[in-house]
Amino acid sequence: MAPGGSNYQDIGDSRGAYADYGIAPESAEFKNSPFRKAAAVVGGKNGAGSNSAVHELLECPVCMNPMYPPIHQCPNGHTLCVKCKSKVHVCPICRHELGNIRCLALEKIAESLELPCRYQIYGCQDIFTYHTRLRHEQNCRFRPYNCPYAGSECAVTGDIQYLVAHLKDDHKVDMHDGCTFNHRYVKSNPQEVENATWMLTVFNCFGHQFCLHFEAFNLGLAPVYMAFLRFMGDDDDAKRFSYSLEVGGFGRKLTWQGVPRSIRDSHKTVRDSLDGLIIQRSMALFFSGGDRKELKLKVAGRIWREPL
């Protein structure tokens, strides 16, 4: 979400028990067989043990993720999800040719299940059928957020409280209290667009956190600077707020007013949509004054809550 050798090598590496590509021992083969698991479900009592067996039954033995129809199996009954099947031509357990066999019994069981959202630990209390659960989880408002710090392509995820601490402790991001700000950006050698590629400041305002981004990039062939705000929360909550940005000097001024974008949208998505204050480099250097060999921009802004 590494390159390797054959398709089977990729799957084998993800399952240490089969990394040697040998025939799985009979006990291991039977352990992973849906027929053994089905027997456990049928023979078990209604309760935690039975539910656990059902979940195990619907777990792909390769990637360990839940299997959703279409569910495939080899002639010996070993199942795997559609994503893993697309990567291999032989069963990762018994190495039998896979073919194109559907496991209709498992698909029937899947249709009868009602399961909690996987983000229950974050607060989601809804229950879904097996089929609708996946669609829900892709857009669940309780699903973890991605770290908004893009400078290092950070892969950390978590709730807002966790990410705020992560930004402060791991990325050393400046944290400020207040809904108005006046930031100064100073960079030498502004002819190099990359030298101001990524800056982030977080503001605590109205009990929420807002990320102020300042970036430099090429818009077509024209080098530009851009400032924009993202809201640490969902899009519906972000729309309750507005913000303004202003930059100027020597009797001239550029202003921007907009709605902060949720951090559900990556900073690149927001930047590429040009949803923020865009400053041409020539204008930025004019605002900087002097000999135009150093960028000295003062960006002022304000955040306010829209009336309900």
Side-chain angles (χ1 to χ4, degrees), residues 231-242:
F231 175 78
M232 294 190 70
D234 274 346
D235 188 59
D236 288 343
D237 292 326
K239 292 176 180 177
R240 296 162 48 205
F241 300 93
S242 294

Side-chain angles (χ1 to χ4, degrees), residues 87-307:
K87 299 176 183 177
V88 299
H89 300 290
V90 296
C91 175
I93 296 173
C94 67
R95 299 190 67 190
H96 198 288
E97 192 76 20
L98 280 177
N100 193 32
I101 308 173
R102 294 272 292 275
C103 188
L104 301 180
L106 273 189
E107 293 182 8
K108 195 70 175 178
I109 292 174
E111 292 175 356
S112 67
L113 289 181
E114 289 189 344
L115 302 169
C117 174
R118 72 162 62 184
Y119 304 122
Q120 186 179 54
I121 59 172
Y122 292 107
C124 184
Q125 300 301 314
D126 294 330
I127 302 295
F128 302 91
T129 64
Y130 197 78
H131 291 286
T132 60
R133 180 191 186 211
L134 180 62
R135 290 195 297 271
H136 161 79
E137 288 174 349
Q138 292 172 341
N139 296 290
C140 177
R141 68 185 305 270
F142 292 97
R143 71 191 188 278
Y145 295 88
N146 295 322
C147 173
Y149 191 90
S152 58
E153 298 300 329
C154 182
V156 168
T157 63
D159 59 19
I160 298 301
Q161 184 178 4
Y162 176 81
L163 288 182
V164 169
H166 166 68
L167 288 171
K168 180 180 180 181
D169 297 337
D170 298 330
H171 293 300
K172 311 302 179 186
V173 170
D174 289 337
M175 303 279 175
H176 297 276
D177 294 324
C179 299
T180 60
F181 49 89
N182 202 328
H183 259 44
R184 187 175 180 87
Y185 297 99
V186 179
K187 286 291 179 181
S188 58
N189 190 17
Q191 303 303 318
E192 295 292 334
V193 169
E194 291 76 15
N195 74 339
T197 303
W198 171 230
M199 299 180 196
L200 174 64
T201 306
V202 173
F203 295 94
N204 300 306
C205 174
F206 296 113
H208 297 276
Q209 288 72 41
F210 298 82
C211 299
L212 175 64
H213 298 258
F214 184 78
E215 301 195 24
F217 60 98
N218 286 311
L219 184 57
L221 298 177
V224 299
Y225 297 97
M226 182 174 175
F228 56 91
L229 207 67
R230 284 200 294 164
F231 175 78
M232 294 190 70
D234 274 346
D235 188 59
D236 288 343
D237 292 326
K239 292 176 180 177
R240 296 162 48 205
F241 300 93
S242 294
Y243 74 101
S244 63
L245 296 173
E246 177 182 302
V247 61
F250 302 97
R252 291 168 175 79
K253 180 170 63 177
L254 290 176
T255 61
W256 164 266
Q257 180 174 321
V259 176
R261 297 279 287 271
S262 165
I263 60 172
R264 295 286 188 203
D265 294 330
S266 70
H267 93 287
K268 185 178 185 300
T269 297
V270 181
R271 186 197 70 187
D272 291 350
S273 66
L274 307 181
D275 193 1
L277 176 63
I278 300 174
I279 314 160
Q280 298 287 339
R281 184 170 66 186
S282 58
M283 184 62 71
L285 293 177
F286 174 81
F287 290 149
S288 300
D291 57 8
R292 300 193 178 192
K293 293 183 179 180
E294 187 177 36
L295 179 70
K296 296 179 181 179
L297 278 183
K298 185 172 69 174
V299 178
R302 181 172 72 93
I303 305 166
W304 65 92
R305 193 198 305 266
E306 291 291 351

